[in-house]
């Protein structure tokens, strides 16, 4: 089994990486965090077969702490590897800020140069990743990324700042980072000159990012489904949900109730239709209408029902017995008036999908008894 050393394992990227390595059967992890000592690091550098050097300082109290956290620890790590004659590959996370002349960027660049010199001197394989903004679950608001801050605040109705809506952002998603880092472990990193790179990078304007995350908050009211065909939106929504307060995972739906039962919309989309839950009491008939273009799918999940059809130009009645013990989807073709009858002794629960969300100005629903 490969022994893998992870520095900064309790941080955002480290926590995700450690979890995924365990998922893939890598159980012999050497975890190094702020609670550990250099003695621990010396012991780990005797054993490890691969190093993920993720530890670093982003927002210190004092500027000089940048160099202490981003350079000195790297120097200590490499000195101990050299002392122990350990030429295990080293993957280090740097930052796109290394290209800039600021305290953080200079400290990251110094760490990079140290690692690249170490590689030339020892022949060790090293992989330096200049990371853009990384987002995903377990990131910290007001620390790791603006995505985390926006998700945290919006989920709690806290105002957010959008200083420059047209500012361009480059984002990478934590799962894409993990895929690349595990590829590096297997010896197949994505090279980009002397550096390595996460292949999947998303570009977005700051204002658009804020608007997208705000739209997630409104889903509980408008029942919309985010555009999951867009990779960035899909990843942002997963991230947003990870920031929900633990007391706010659930939300109520508006139930339209009467003496027959209830009808409740669950999901709405602009291009994939609408999903609703229909509950009918014993003996109740619902429907008795037909559509020109609107079409539906019925799925009874509890109780016993009878779905009846009649072509509007025919007297022949077509019947389908349905029940929650034998899940069966029934298509509702256009041009057929139809109804669903609860023929059991308990409530009939039906999931109903319709190809378009309801529009009161164009209901396309014509009453006609079956």
């Amino acid at each position: 089994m490969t022994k893998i050393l992870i520095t900064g394992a309790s941080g955002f990227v480290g926590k995700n990486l450690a979890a995924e390595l365990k998922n893939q059967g890598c159980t012999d992890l050497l975890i190094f965090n702020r609670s550990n000592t250099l003695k621990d690091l010396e012991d780990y550098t005797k054993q490890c077969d691969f190093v993920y050097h993720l530890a670093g300082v982003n927002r210190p109290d004092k500027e000089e702490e940048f160099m202490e956290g981003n350079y000195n620890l790297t120097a200590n790590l490499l000195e101990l590897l050299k002392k122990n004659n350990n030429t295990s590959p080293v993957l280090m996370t740097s930052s796109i800020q290394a290209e800039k002349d600021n305290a953080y960027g200079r400290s990251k660049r110094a760490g990079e140069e140290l690692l690249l010199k170490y590689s030339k001197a020892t022949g060790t394989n090293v992989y330096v990743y200049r990371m853009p903004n990384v987002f995903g679950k377990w990131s910290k608001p007001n620390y790791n990324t603006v995505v985390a801050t926006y998700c945290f605040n919006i989920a709690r109705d806290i105002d957010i700042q959008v200083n420059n809506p047209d500012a361009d952002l480059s984002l990478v998603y934590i799962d894409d980072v993990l895929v690349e880092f595990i590829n590096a472990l297997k010896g197949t990193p994505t090279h980009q000159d002397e550096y390595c790179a996460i292949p999947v990078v998303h570009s977005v304007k700051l204002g658009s990012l804020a608007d997208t995350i705000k739209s997630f908050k409104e889903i509980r009211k408008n029942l919309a489904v985010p555009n999951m065909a867009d990779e960035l939106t899909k990843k942002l929504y997963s991230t947003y949900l990870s920031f929900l307060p633990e007391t706010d995972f659930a939300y109520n739906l508006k139930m339209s109730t009467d003496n027959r039962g209830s009808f409740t919309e669950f999901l709405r989309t602009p291009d994939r239709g609408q999903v609703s839950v229909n509950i009918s009491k014993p003996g109740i008939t619902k429907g008795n209408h037909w559509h020109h273009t609107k079409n539906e799918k019925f799925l009874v999940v509890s109780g016993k029902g009878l779905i009846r059809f009649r072509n509007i130009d025919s007297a022949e009645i077509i019947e389908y017995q349905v029940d929650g013990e034998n899940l069966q989807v029934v298509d509702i073709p256009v041009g057929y008036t139809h109804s669903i009858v609860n023929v059991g002794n308990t409530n009939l629960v039906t999931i109903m999908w319709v190809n378009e969300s309801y529009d009161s100005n164009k209901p396309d629903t014509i009453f006609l008894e079956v």
Side-chain angles (χ1 to χ4, degrees):
M1 293 294 291
T2 300
K3 290 188 176 182
I4 300 172
L5 168 59
I6 306 175
T7 71
S10 63
F12 164 40
V13 176
K15 182 178 178 180
N16 276 274
L17 177 62
E20 183 55 24
L21 287 171
K22 290 177 183 177
N23 290 342
Q24 298 204 16
C26 301
T27 56
D28 207 348
L29 302 182
L30 305 172
I31 301 301
F32 183 83
N33 291 312
R34 293 183 180 181
S35 60
N36 294 102
T37 65
L38 285 179
K39 180 67 176 64
D40 295 326
L41 190 60
E42 180 174 12
D43 181 48
Y44 294 161
T45 53
K46 293 176 182 177
Q47 308 176 48
C48 64
D49 302 303
F50 191 96
V51 180
Y52 286 104
H53 182 37
L54 312 180
V57 174
N58 291 345
R59 300 173 187 269
D61 294 327
K62 299 178 181 179
E63 190 172 287
E64 55 266 26
E65 292 178 34
F66 278 126
M67 196 62 73
E68 293 174 7
N70 296 327
Y71 176 83
N72 291 356
L73 180 59
T74 302
N76 288 330
L77 170 66
L78 299 181
E79 286 173 7
L80 290 171
L81 286 169
K82 190 181 298 184
K83 175 183 175 182
N84 293 314
N85 295 314
N86 189 335
T87 56
S88 296
V90 180
L91 182 156
M92 185 178 78
T93 51
S94 183
S95 168
I96 55 175
Q97 291 292 317
E99 300 174 357
K100 298 184 178 181
D101 188 22
N102 54 49
Y104 177 62
R106 287 191 296 270
S107 69
K108 281 296 188 182
R109 190 165 58 252
E112 293 177 359
E113 292 170 352
L114 192 64
L115 185 60
L116 294 173
K117 288 179 181 177
Y118 168 80
S119 175
K120 291 178 180 178
T122 63
T124 300
N125 289 326
V126 300
Y127 313 120
V128 179
Y129 286 83
R130 283 188 169 179
M131 306 289 283
N133 292 281
V134 186
F135 71 99
K137 67 183 183 303
W138 302 335
S139 51
K140 297 178 182 178
N142 303 306
Y143 186 78
N144 288 126
T145 170
V146 66
V147 174
T149 304
Y150 283 1
C151 287
F152 180 90
N153 285 12
I154 290 170
R156 291 162 178 76
D157 294 317
I158 301 172
D159 289 338
I160 63 171
Q161 289 186 337
V162 186
N163 296 326
N164 182 5
D166 292 325
D168 293 311
L169 290 179
S170 293
L171 303 174
V172 291
Y173 184 51
I174 187 61
D175 286 10
D176 296 321
V177 172
L178 299 183
V179 169
E180 173 61 22
F181 281 8
I182 290 172
N183 285 341
L185 175 65
K186 297 175 180 177
T188 57
T190 302
H191 287 286
Q192 201 172 75
D193 298 324
E194 62 181 340
Y195 300 100
C196 294
I198 310 301
V200 183
V201 181
H202 301 281
S203 298
V204 65
K205 300 285 187 184
L206 184 62
S208 177
L209 174 69
D211 290 341
T212 298
I213 298 174
K214 285 178 182 177
S215 73
F216 300 153
K217 178 76 172 180
E218 298 303 309
I219 284 175
R220 294 184 171 190
K221 299 176 184 177
N222 60 27
L223 307 181
V225 177
N227 179 14
M228 295 300 172
D230 180 75
E231 281 296 313
L232 177 57
T233 299
K234 180 171 69 172
K235 295 166 182 176
L236 286 171
Y237 186 55
S238 293
T239 303
Y240 172 78
L241 291 179
S242 75
F243 280 94
L244 289 177
E246 293 182 355
T247 56
D248 198 31
F249 287 178
Y251 60 101
N252 294 325
L253 296 174
K254 180 182 178 182
M255 298 179 65
S256 299
T257 59
D258 57 26
N259 59 352
R260 301 174 303 160
S262 65
F263 182 82
T264 307
E265 292 185 23
F266 174 34
L267 299 173
R268 277 177 162 258
T269 70
D271 58 346
R272 294 293 188 273
Q274 173 181 320
V275 179
S276 304
V277 180
N278 185 71
I279 300 177
S280 300
K281 295 179 180 179
I284 293 297
T285 299
K286 290 187 177 182
N288 282 322
H289 57 238
W290 63 278
H291 313 291
H292 284 293
T293 302
K294 183 184 294 185
N295 57 86
E296 300 164 289
K297 293 180 184 290
F298 288 3
L299 173 62
V300 169
V301 295
S302 182
K304 294 184 178 181
L306 178 66
I307 301 176
R308 309 175 78 218
F309 297 91
R310 180 172 62 82
N311 190 306
I312 64 170
D313 294 328
S314 171
E316 179 186 1
I317 295 177
I318 305 164
E319 295 184 342
Y320 281 81
Q321 296 278 351
V322 288
D323 63 70
E325 299 299 318
N326 180 32
L327 297 185
Q328 184 180 43
V329 176
V330 179
D331 277 317
I332 312 298
V334 298
Y336 285 81
T337 186
H338 52 276
S339 64
I340 182 167
V341 187
N342 185 345
V343 296
N345 298 318
T346 61
N347 283 347
L348 177 68
V349 181
T350 309
I351 305 298
M352 295 180 171
W353 171 85
V354 60
N355 69 316
E356 58 186 40
S357 296
Y358 180 73
D359 181 354
S360 59
N361 295 317
K362 187 183 175 183
D364 188 14
T365 302
I366 303 98
F367 175 79
L368 180 66
E369 289 191 3
V370 175

